[in-house]
Amino acid sequence: MKMIEKRYMFNTSFKNKEELFKEATLYLKERGYVSDEFEGALNEREKEFPTGLPTEPSVAIPHTDGTYVKKDTLLCIINDSKIAFNEMGGDEEDHVYPQVFFMLALSDGKEHLEQLQNLVEKIQSGSLVSNSLQASNKEEFQKAVENYL
Protein backbone atom coordinates (compact mmCIF):
# COMPACT_ATOMS: atom_id res chain seq x y z
CA MET A 1 0.00 0.00 0.00
CA LYS A 2 1.49 3.31 -1.03
CA MET A 3 1.82 6.44 1.07
CA ILE A 4 -0.90 8.92 0.20
CA GLU A 5 -0.26 12.62 0.34
CA LYS A 6 -2.32 14.28 3.08
CA ARG A 7 -3.88 17.73 3.23
CA TYR A 8 -5.35 19.37 6.30
CA MET A 9 -8.23 21.71 7.08
CA PHE A 10 -8.26 22.74 10.72
CA ASN A 11 -10.93 24.50 12.75
CA THR A 12 -13.43 24.81 9.92
CA SER A 13 -16.96 25.98 10.73
CA PHE A 14 -19.15 23.90 8.42
CA LYS A 15 -22.79 23.69 9.51
CA ASN A 16 -23.71 20.47 7.66
CA LYS A 17 -22.25 17.80 5.41
CA GLU A 18 -23.35 19.57 2.21
CA GLU A 19 -21.32 22.63 3.24
CA LEU A 20 -18.40 20.40 4.21
CA PHE A 21 -18.49 18.63 0.82
CA LYS A 22 -18.77 21.94 -1.03
CA GLU A 23 -15.85 23.63 0.74
CA ALA A 24 -13.66 20.52 0.79
CA THR A 25 -14.22 20.04 -2.96
CA LEU A 26 -13.33 23.69 -3.57
CA TYR A 27 -10.17 23.29 -1.48
CA LEU A 28 -9.16 20.15 -3.38
CA LYS A 29 -10.13 21.58 -6.77
CA GLU A 30 -8.04 24.74 -6.25
CA ARG A 31 -5.04 22.50 -5.55
CA GLY A 32 -5.60 20.28 -8.59
CA TYR A 33 -6.75 17.10 -6.81
CA VAL A 34 -10.33 16.78 -8.09
CA SER A 35 -12.68 17.98 -10.82
CA ASP A 36 -15.91 20.00 -10.39
CA GLU A 37 -18.05 16.88 -10.32
CA PHE A 38 -16.41 15.57 -7.14
CA GLU A 39 -18.84 17.42 -4.86
CA GLY A 40 -21.96 16.01 -6.53
CA ALA A 41 -20.47 12.53 -6.52
CA LEU A 42 -19.74 12.80 -2.78
CA ASN A 43 -23.33 13.84 -2.06
CA GLU A 44 -24.75 11.01 -4.17
CA ARG A 45 -22.44 8.42 -2.63
CA GLU A 46 -23.22 9.60 0.90
CA LYS A 47 -26.98 9.22 0.29
CA GLU A 48 -26.55 5.65 -0.94
CA PHE A 49 -23.73 4.53 1.34
CA PRO A 50 -23.32 6.69 4.45
CA THR A 51 -19.82 7.02 5.86
CA GLY A 52 -20.37 7.92 9.53
CA LEU A 53 -18.58 5.50 11.87
CA PRO A 54 -20.15 4.97 15.32
CA THR A 55 -16.78 4.95 17.05
CA GLU A 56 -16.09 6.88 20.21
CA PRO A 57 -15.53 9.71 19.32
CA SER A 58 -17.36 9.32 16.02
CA VAL A 59 -15.77 10.05 12.65
CA ALA A 60 -16.84 10.13 9.01
CA ILE A 61 -14.84 9.03 5.98
CA PRO A 62 -16.62 10.54 2.97
CA HIS A 63 -15.42 9.31 -0.41
CA THR A 64 -16.59 8.54 -3.91
CA ASP A 65 -15.28 6.59 -6.86
CA GLY A 66 -12.07 7.78 -8.49
CA THR A 67 -13.59 9.11 -11.71
CA TYR A 68 -13.33 12.72 -10.52
CA VAL A 69 -9.90 12.44 -8.91
CA LYS A 70 -6.88 13.92 -10.73
CA LYS A 71 -4.30 13.43 -7.98
CA ASP A 72 -4.59 11.18 -4.91
CA THR A 73 -4.89 12.68 -1.46
CA LEU A 74 -6.41 12.16 1.95
CA LEU A 75 -8.03 15.35 3.22
CA CYS A 76 -8.10 15.44 7.02
CA ILE A 77 -10.60 17.88 8.52
CA ILE A 78 -11.43 19.01 12.04
CA ASN A 79 -14.61 21.06 12.26
CA ASP A 80 -15.33 23.35 15.23
CA SER A 81 -18.72 21.70 15.80
CA LYS A 82 -20.28 18.29 15.23
CA ILE A 83 -22.06 17.50 11.96
CA ALA A 84 -24.84 14.93 11.56
CA PHE A 85 -23.92 12.01 9.31
CA ASN A 86 -25.87 8.84 8.68
CA GLU A 87 -24.25 5.77 10.12
CA MET A 88 -22.37 3.41 7.85
CA GLY A 89 -24.46 0.27 7.41
CA GLY A 90 -27.17 1.68 9.67
CA ASP A 91 -30.82 2.55 9.15
CA GLU A 92 -31.97 5.90 7.81
CA GLU A 93 -32.58 7.23 11.32
CA ASP A 94 -29.18 6.14 12.66
CA HIS A 95 -26.94 9.19 12.99
CA VAL A 96 -23.49 9.90 14.32
CA TYR A 97 -22.11 13.39 15.01
CA PRO A 98 -18.44 13.58 14.09
CA GLN A 99 -16.11 16.56 14.22
CA VAL A 100 -13.25 14.73 12.51
CA PHE A 101 -13.40 13.74 8.84
CA PHE A 102 -11.04 11.82 6.60
CA MET A 103 -11.99 12.41 2.98
CA LEU A 104 -10.47 9.98 0.51
CA ALA A 105 -9.77 11.22 -3.00
CA LEU A 106 -8.18 8.26 -4.78
CA SER A 107 -8.31 7.48 -8.49
CA ASP A 108 -7.50 3.75 -8.39
CA GLY A 109 -10.28 1.44 -7.17
CA LYS A 110 -8.05 -1.23 -5.64
CA GLU A 111 -5.85 1.35 -3.91
CA HIS A 112 -8.99 3.13 -2.72
CA LEU A 113 -10.33 -0.04 -1.08
CA GLU A 114 -6.99 -0.80 0.61
CA GLN A 115 -6.66 2.73 1.94
CA LEU A 116 -10.26 2.74 3.14
CA GLN A 117 -9.80 -0.56 4.99
CA ASN A 118 -6.54 0.67 6.49
CA LEU A 119 -8.20 3.91 7.59
CA VAL A 120 -11.15 2.15 9.24
CA GLU A 121 -8.77 -0.23 11.00
CA LYS A 122 -6.59 2.62 12.30
CA ILE A 123 -9.67 4.53 13.46
CA GLN A 124 -11.08 1.53 15.31
CA SER A 125 -7.85 0.33 16.87
CA GLY A 126 -6.36 3.49 18.28
CA SER A 127 -6.60 7.05 19.47
CA LEU A 128 -6.35 8.66 16.04
CA VAL A 129 -9.65 10.55 16.38
CA SER A 130 -9.37 11.52 20.05
CA ASN A 131 -5.75 12.64 19.59
CA SER A 132 -6.81 14.66 16.56
CA LEU A 133 -9.52 16.38 18.62
CA GLN A 134 -6.94 17.38 21.23
CA ALA A 135 -4.91 19.31 18.67
CA SER A 136 -4.90 23.05 19.25
CA ASN A 137 -3.52 23.93 15.82
CA LYS A 138 -2.99 22.49 12.36
CA GLU A 139 0.55 21.31 13.13
CA GLU A 140 -0.60 19.29 16.15
CA PHE A 141 -3.46 17.84 14.09
CA GLN A 142 -0.99 16.87 11.37
CA LYS A 143 1.29 15.23 13.94
CA ALA A 144 -1.63 13.27 15.46
CA VAL A 145 -2.60 11.94 12.03
CA GLU A 146 0.97 11.17 10.91
CA ASN A 147 1.44 9.04 14.06
CA TYR A 148 -1.24 6.66 12.79
CA LEU A 149 -1.49 6.98 9.01
Side-chain angles (χ1 to χ4, degrees):
M1 193 166 58
K2 65 180 184 194
M3 271 300 282
I4 300 287
E5 182 185 351
K6 295 170 194 69
R7 302 298 303 212
Y8 297 87
M9 294 176 84
F10 184 78
N11 219 9
T12 53
S13 51
F14 307 130
K15 301 288 173 259
N16 53 45
K17 62 185 171 213
E18 289 75 23
E19 200 176 303
L20 180 138
F21 291 171
K22 182 179 183 194
E23 293 303 319
T25 298
L26 194 63
Y27 175 95
L28 291 170
K29 204 173 78 182
E30 284 170 351
R31 288 157 182 80
Y33 290 101
V34 299
S35 65
D36 289 348
E37 298 86 2
F38 189 75
E39 180 189 346
L42 278 175
N43 281 306
E44 285 307 305
R45 176 90 177 50
E46 195 65 40
K47 278 187 203 118
E48 288 291 310
F49 306 100
T51 61
L53 293 179
T55 49
E56 198 46 59
S58 62
V59 62
I61 45 176
H63 55 276
T64 186
D65 71 72
T67 317
Y68 312 109
V69 177
K70 298 175 180 176
K71 199 164 71 174
D72 292 355
T73 190
L74 174 64
L75 179 58
C76 310
I77 304 168
I78 293 188
N79 201 48
D80 58 15
S81 60
K82 297 178 178 201
I83 295 179
F85 265 71
N86 289 78
E87 190 180 310
M88 188 184 279
D91 293 323
E92 210 169 305
E93 62 277 0
D94 295 335
H95 287 88
V96 294
Y97 298 89
Q99 258 180 282
V100 179
F101 308 90
F102 295 103
M103 185 177 285
L104 285 167
L106 300 170
S107 54
D108 178 80
K110 187 175 175 296
E111 182 67 36
H112 178 97
L113 193 60
E114 284 176 15
Q115 291 289 344
L116 186 61
Q117 287 167 334
N118 179 50
L119 190 56
V120 171
E121 200 176 289
K122 294 287 196 296
I123 288 165
Q124 290 172 334
S125 68
S127 321
L128 170 60
V129 180
S130 50
N131 286 0
S132 294
L133 284 168
Q134 287 164 11
S136 53
N137 57 46
K138 194 189 234 176
E139 288 69 35
E140 287 179 17
F141 176 32
Q142 196 168 337
K143 206 170 153 196
V145 171
E146 296 291 345
N147 280 337
Y148 291 94
L149 297 174

PDB file of all heavy atoms in Angstrom, residues 1 61 104 110-124 149:
ATOM      1  N   MET A   1       0.842  -1.189   0.000  1.00  0.00           N
ATOM      2  CA  MET A   1       0.000   0.000   0.000  1.00  0.00           C
ATOM      3  C   MET A   1       0.884   1.249   0.000  1.00  0.00           C
ATOM      4  O   MET A   1       1.786   1.375   0.823  1.00  0.00           O
ATOM      5  CB  MET A   1      -0.875  -0.016   1.251  1.00  0.00           C
ATOM      6  CG  MET A   1      -1.979   0.975   1.200  1.00  0.00           C
ATOM      7  SD  MET A   1      -3.213   0.670   2.480  1.00  0.00           S
ATOM      8  CE  MET A   1      -2.222   0.773   3.954  1.00  0.00           C
ATOM      9  N   ILE A  61     -15.869   9.177   7.019  1.00  0.00           N
ATOM     10  CA  ILE A  61     -14.845   9.029   5.981  1.00  0.00           C
ATOM     11  C   ILE A  61     -15.494   9.139   4.601  1.00  0.00           C
ATOM     12  O   ILE A  61     -15.578   8.159   3.869  1.00  0.00           O
ATOM     13  CB  ILE A  61     -14.055   7.710   6.142  1.00  0.00           C
ATOM     14  CG1 ILE A  61     -14.994   6.523   6.430  1.00  0.00           C
ATOM     15  CG2 ILE A  61     -13.033   7.824   7.250  1.00  0.00           C
ATOM     16  CD1 ILE A  61     -14.287   5.193   6.501  1.00  0.00           C
ATOM     17  N   LEU A 104     -11.353  10.663   1.449  1.00  0.00           N
ATOM     18  CA  LEU A 104     -10.471   9.979   0.507  1.00  0.00           C
ATOM     19  C   LEU A 104     -10.733  10.462  -0.910  1.00  0.00           C
ATOM     20  O   LEU A 104     -11.873  10.441  -1.367  1.00  0.00           O
ATOM     21  CB  LEU A 104     -10.733   8.478   0.551  1.00  0.00           C
ATOM     22  CG  LEU A 104     -10.196   7.707   1.747  1.00  0.00           C
ATOM     23  CD1 LEU A 104     -10.823   6.320   1.784  1.00  0.00           C
ATOM     24  CD2 LEU A 104      -8.693   7.582   1.685  1.00  0.00           C
ATOM     25  N   LYS A 110      -8.678  -0.261  -6.540  1.00  0.00           N
ATOM     26  CA  LYS A 110      -8.051  -1.231  -5.639  1.00  0.00           C
ATOM     27  C   LYS A 110      -7.323  -0.498  -4.508  1.00  0.00           C
ATOM     28  O   LYS A 110      -7.455  -0.829  -3.338  1.00  0.00           O
ATOM     29  CB  LYS A 110      -7.074  -2.093  -6.442  1.00  0.00           C
ATOM     30  CG  LYS A 110      -6.472  -3.241  -5.662  1.00  0.00           C
ATOM     31  CD  LYS A 110      -5.614  -4.110  -6.590  1.00  0.00           C
ATOM     32  CE  LYS A 110      -4.900  -5.209  -5.845  1.00  0.00           C
ATOM     33  NZ  LYS A 110      -3.925  -4.707  -4.882  1.00  0.00           N
ATOM     34  N   GLU A 111      -6.573   0.522  -4.879  1.00  0.00           N
ATOM     35  CA  GLU A 111      -5.849   1.351  -3.911  1.00  0.00           C
ATOM     36  C   GLU A 111      -6.841   2.007  -2.952  1.00  0.00           C
ATOM     37  O   GLU A 111      -6.625   2.066  -1.750  1.00  0.00           O
ATOM     38  CB  GLU A 111      -5.048   2.425  -4.667  1.00  0.00           C
ATOM     39  CG  GLU A 111      -4.212   3.327  -3.776  1.00  0.00           C
ATOM     40  CD  GLU A 111      -3.067   2.598  -3.085  1.00  0.00           C
ATOM     41  OE1 GLU A 111      -2.460   1.692  -3.696  1.00  0.00           O
ATOM     42  OE2 GLU A 111      -2.784   2.935  -1.929  1.00  0.00           O
ATOM     43  N   HIS A 112      -7.945   2.476  -3.498  1.00  0.00           N
ATOM     44  CA  HIS A 112      -8.989   3.132  -2.717  1.00  0.00           C
ATOM     45  C   HIS A 112      -9.498   2.187  -1.626  1.00  0.00           C
ATOM     46  O   HIS A 112      -9.596   2.553  -0.462  1.00  0.00           O
ATOM     47  CB  HIS A 112     -10.136   3.546  -3.652  1.00  0.00           C
ATOM     48  CG  HIS A 112     -11.282   4.184  -2.958  1.00  0.00           C
ATOM     49  ND1 HIS A 112     -11.438   5.545  -2.883  1.00  0.00           N
ATOM     50  CD2 HIS A 112     -12.324   3.654  -2.284  1.00  0.00           C
ATOM     51  CE1 HIS A 112     -12.535   5.809  -2.194  1.00  0.00           C
ATOM     52  NE2 HIS A 112     -13.094   4.671  -1.824  1.00  0.00           N
ATOM     53  N   LEU A 113      -9.808   0.950  -2.015  1.00  0.00           N
ATOM     54  CA  LEU A 113     -10.329  -0.043  -1.083  1.00  0.00           C
ATOM     55  C   LEU A 113      -9.312  -0.350   0.011  1.00  0.00           C
ATOM     56  O   LEU A 113      -9.646  -0.411   1.194  1.00  0.00           O
ATOM     57  CB  LEU A 113     -10.708  -1.314  -1.845  1.00  0.00           C
ATOM     58  CG  LEU A 113     -11.553  -2.319  -1.060  1.00  0.00           C
ATOM     59  CD1 LEU A 113     -12.881  -1.689  -0.628  1.00  0.00           C
ATOM     60  CD2 LEU A 113     -11.814  -3.560  -1.898  1.00  0.00           C
ATOM     61  N   GLU A 114      -8.048  -0.523  -0.373  1.00  0.00           N
ATOM     62  CA  GLU A 114      -6.989  -0.805   0.606  1.00  0.00           C
ATOM     63  C   GLU A 114      -6.837   0.342   1.593  1.00  0.00           C
ATOM     64  O   GLU A 114      -6.739   0.133   2.797  1.00  0.00           O
ATOM     65  CB  GLU A 114      -5.647  -1.042  -0.107  1.00  0.00           C
ATOM     66  CG  GLU A 114      -5.541  -2.398  -0.756  1.00  0.00           C
ATOM     67  CD  GLU A 114      -4.241  -2.574  -1.539  1.00  0.00           C
ATOM     68  OE1 GLU A 114      -3.301  -1.783  -1.357  1.00  0.00           O
ATOM     69  OE2 GLU A 114      -4.182  -3.514  -2.355  1.00  0.00           O
ATOM     70  N   GLN A 115      -6.820   1.564   1.080  1.00  0.00           N
ATOM     71  CA  GLN A 115      -6.656   2.734   1.942  1.00  0.00           C
ATOM     72  C   GLN A 115      -7.864   2.893   2.879  1.00  0.00           C
ATOM     73  O   GLN A 115      -7.707   3.228   4.047  1.00  0.00           O
ATOM     74  CB  GLN A 115      -6.485   4.009   1.106  1.00  0.00           C
ATOM     75  CG  GLN A 115      -5.181   4.087   0.341  1.00  0.00           C
ATOM     76  CD  GLN A 115      -3.964   4.317   1.234  1.00  0.00           C
ATOM     77  OE1 GLN A 115      -4.067   4.714   2.389  1.00  0.00           O
ATOM     78  NE2 GLN A 115      -2.782   4.069   0.687  1.00  0.00           N
ATOM     79  N   LEU A 116      -9.043   2.632   2.339  1.00  0.00           N
ATOM     80  CA  LEU A 116     -10.262   2.735   3.137  1.00  0.00           C
ATOM     81  C   LEU A 116     -10.247   1.720   4.283  1.00  0.00           C
ATOM     82  O   LEU A 116     -10.518   2.061   5.433  1.00  0.00           O
ATOM     83  CB  LEU A 116     -11.485   2.510   2.238  1.00  0.00           C
ATOM     84  CG  LEU A 116     -12.850   2.715   2.872  1.00  0.00           C
ATOM     85  CD1 LEU A 116     -13.012   4.150   3.375  1.00  0.00           C
ATOM     86  CD2 LEU A 116     -13.949   2.402   1.864  1.00  0.00           C
ATOM     87  N   GLN A 117      -9.875   0.476   3.962  1.00  0.00           N
ATOM     88  CA  GLN A 117      -9.799  -0.563   4.991  1.00  0.00           C
ATOM     89  C   GLN A 117      -8.756  -0.217   6.047  1.00  0.00           C
ATOM     90  O   GLN A 117      -8.991  -0.376   7.247  1.00  0.00           O
ATOM     91  CB  GLN A 117      -9.476  -1.926   4.351  1.00  0.00           C
ATOM     92  CG  GLN A 117     -10.657  -2.494   3.584  1.00  0.00           C
ATOM     93  CD  GLN A 117     -10.286  -3.677   2.693  1.00  0.00           C
ATOM     94  OE1 GLN A 117      -9.142  -3.806   2.257  1.00  0.00           O
ATOM     95  NE2 GLN A 117     -11.261  -4.517   2.408  1.00  0.00           N
ATOM     96  N   ASN A 118      -7.617   0.275   5.590  1.00  0.00           N
ATOM     97  CA  ASN A 118      -6.544   0.671   6.489  1.00  0.00           C
ATOM     98  C   ASN A 118      -7.018   1.800   7.415  1.00  0.00           C
ATOM     99  O   ASN A 118      -6.780   1.776   8.621  1.00  0.00           O
ATOM    100  CB  ASN A 118      -5.327   1.125   5.671  1.00  0.00           C
ATOM    101  CG  ASN A 118      -4.176   1.584   6.549  1.00  0.00           C
ATOM    102  OD1 ASN A 118      -3.768   0.899   7.473  1.00  0.00           O
ATOM    103  ND2 ASN A 118      -3.666   2.767   6.256  1.00  0.00           N
ATOM    104  N   LEU A 119      -7.698   2.760   6.840  1.00  0.00           N
ATOM    105  CA  LEU A 119      -8.200   3.913   7.585  1.00  0.00           C
ATOM    106  C   LEU A 119      -9.189   3.474   8.666  1.00  0.00           C
ATOM    107  O   LEU A 119      -9.058   3.854   9.834  1.00  0.00           O
ATOM    108  CB  LEU A 119      -8.864   4.883   6.609  1.00  0.00           C
ATOM    109  CG  LEU A 119      -9.263   6.266   7.112  1.00  0.00           C
ATOM    110  CD1 LEU A 119      -8.078   6.999   7.714  1.00  0.00           C
ATOM    111  CD2 LEU A 119      -9.829   7.088   5.952  1.00  0.00           C
ATOM    112  N   VAL A 120     -10.145   2.642   8.287  1.00  0.00           N
ATOM    113  CA  VAL A 120     -11.152   2.153   9.242  1.00  0.00           C
ATOM    114  C   VAL A 120     -10.474   1.379  10.376  1.00  0.00           C
ATOM    115  O   VAL A 120     -10.781   1.564  11.555  1.00  0.00           O
ATOM    116  CB  VAL A 120     -12.221   1.285   8.532  1.00  0.00           C
ATOM    117  CG1 VAL A 120     -13.125   0.600   9.544  1.00  0.00           C
ATOM    118  CG2 VAL A 120     -13.044   2.127   7.573  1.00  0.00           C
ATOM    119  N   GLU A 121      -9.518   0.546  10.013  1.00  0.00           N
ATOM    120  CA  GLU A 121      -8.769  -0.232  10.996  1.00  0.00           C
ATOM    121  C   GLU A 121      -8.038   0.682  11.986  1.00  0.00           C
ATOM    122  O   GLU A 121      -8.100   0.490  13.198  1.00  0.00           O
ATOM    123  CB  GLU A 121      -7.756  -1.088  10.236  1.00  0.00           C
ATOM    124  CG  GLU A 121      -7.230  -2.269  10.990  1.00  0.00           C
ATOM    125  CD  GLU A 121      -6.316  -3.101  10.092  1.00  0.00           C
ATOM    126  OE1 GLU A 121      -6.835  -3.765   9.169  1.00  0.00           O
ATOM    127  OE2 GLU A 121      -5.092  -3.046  10.303  1.00  0.00           O
ATOM    128  N   LYS A 122      -7.347   1.701  11.451  1.00  0.00           N
ATOM    129  CA  LYS A 122      -6.594   2.622  12.299  1.00  0.00           C
ATOM    130  C   LYS A 122      -7.532   3.417  13.205  1.00  0.00           C
ATOM    131  O   LYS A 122      -7.219   3.698  14.358  1.00  0.00           O
ATOM    132  CB  LYS A 122      -5.767   3.596  11.441  1.00  0.00           C
ATOM    133  CG  LYS A 122      -4.658   2.937  10.658  1.00  0.00           C
ATOM    134  CD  LYS A 122      -3.510   2.507  11.558  1.00  0.00           C
ATOM    135  CE  LYS A 122      -2.226   2.181  10.853  1.00  0.00           C
ATOM    136  NZ  LYS A 122      -2.220   1.064   9.948  1.00  0.00           N
ATOM    137  N   ILE A 123      -8.697   3.775  12.674  1.00  0.00           N
ATOM    138  CA  ILE A 123      -9.666   4.531  13.460  1.00  0.00           C
ATOM    139  C   ILE A 123     -10.192   3.659  14.604  1.00  0.00           C
ATOM    140  O   ILE A 123     -10.291   4.108  15.742  1.00  0.00           O
ATOM    141  CB  ILE A 123     -10.835   5.018  12.568  1.00  0.00           C
ATOM    142  CG1 ILE A 123     -10.356   6.151  11.657  1.00  0.00           C
ATOM    143  CG2 ILE A 123     -12.023   5.469  13.412  1.00  0.00           C
ATOM    144  CD1 ILE A 123     -11.284   6.491  10.497  1.00  0.00           C
ATOM    145  N   GLN A 124     -10.498   2.410  14.309  1.00  0.00           N
ATOM    146  CA  GLN A 124     -11.085   1.526  15.314  1.00  0.00           C
ATOM    147  C   GLN A 124     -10.086   1.042  16.351  1.00  0.00           C
ATOM    148  O   GLN A 124     -10.451   0.758  17.480  1.00  0.00           O
ATOM    149  CB  GLN A 124     -11.752   0.321  14.635  1.00  0.00           C
ATOM    150  CG  GLN A 124     -13.006   0.731  13.891  1.00  0.00           C
ATOM    151  CD  GLN A 124     -13.585  -0.394  13.036  1.00  0.00           C
ATOM    152  OE1 GLN A 124     -12.868  -1.292  12.606  1.00  0.00           O
ATOM    153  NE2 GLN A 124     -14.879  -0.330  12.763  1.00  0.00           N
ATOM    154  N   LEU A 149      -1.275   7.271  10.436  1.00  0.00           N
ATOM    155  CA  LEU A 149      -1.486   6.976   9.011  1.00  0.00           C
ATOM    156  C   LEU A 149      -0.236   7.200   8.176  1.00  0.00           C
ATOM    157  O   LEU A 149       0.453   8.159   8.343  1.00  0.00           O
ATOM    158  CB  LEU A 149      -2.615   7.861   8.470  1.00  0.00           C
ATOM    159  CG  LEU A 149      -3.983   7.645   9.108  1.00  0.00           C
ATOM    160  CD1 LEU A 149      -4.976   8.675   8.596  1.00  0.00           C
ATOM    161  CD2 LEU A 149      -4.505   6.238   8.822  1.00  0.00           C
TER     162      LEU A 149
END
